[in-house]
Amino acid sequence: MSKQEEMYTLVNEYRNSGLSAKAFSKEKGISPSTFCYWIRKKKDEDQPGGFVEVTKGSNSSSGELELIYPNGVKLQMNAADLGLIARLVKLY
């Protein structure tokens, strides 16, 4: 088992343990700062990223589009303005 797989297994075990990260890492003999690094790394990998295909549904009558950035910022705009959508995607 690789170091990454081993640490991810521990992160999953921690998430189900009910313990704080500090208490869990102490129990397992891992430096709290090292363990927090692996928690963040696993969280980043678990979050979906990249692009998704956008299609206009047949029940969509408003022509509105919602663009949600990975940081949680949401923008609503007219779906017909493809130039604006392209510029907003490139901003992130």
Side-chain angles (χ1 to χ4, degrees):
M1 181 182 292
S2 73
K3 177 73 171 179
Q4 181 175 347
E5 292 171 326
E6 180 182 335
M7 293 307 294
Y8 283 179
T9 299
L10 286 174
V11 169
N12 289 333
E13 188 179 324
Y14 151 71
R15 288 178 177 167
N16 294 320
S17 73
L19 296 172
S20 68
K22 185 176 180 179
F24 185 86
S25 62
K26 183 178 180 181
E27 184 179 286
K28 297 295 181 178
I30 305 167
S31 158
S33 61
T34 300
F35 191 58
C36 286
Y37 163 82
W38 286 103
I39 291 170
R40 283 190 309 276
K41 187 169 174 65
K42 176 92 168 88
K43 180 181 174 190
D44 290 344
E45 286 190 13
D46 288 347
Q47 292 180 340
F51 293 98
V52 295
E53 182 179 357
V54 177
T55 58
K56 184 175 180 180
S58 59
N59 60 355
S60 176
S61 60
S62 68
E64 291 289 312
L65 175 91
E66 186 175 76
L67 177 63
I68 305 172
Y69 289 102
N71 65 0
V73 172
K74 294 180 183 182
L75 302 173
Q76 292 181 336
M77 68 205 84
N78 186 320
D81 192 347
L82 297 178
L84 173 62
I85 295 167
R87 288 190 306 275
L88 290 170
V89 168
K90 287 179 186 177
L91 281 176
Y92 195 80

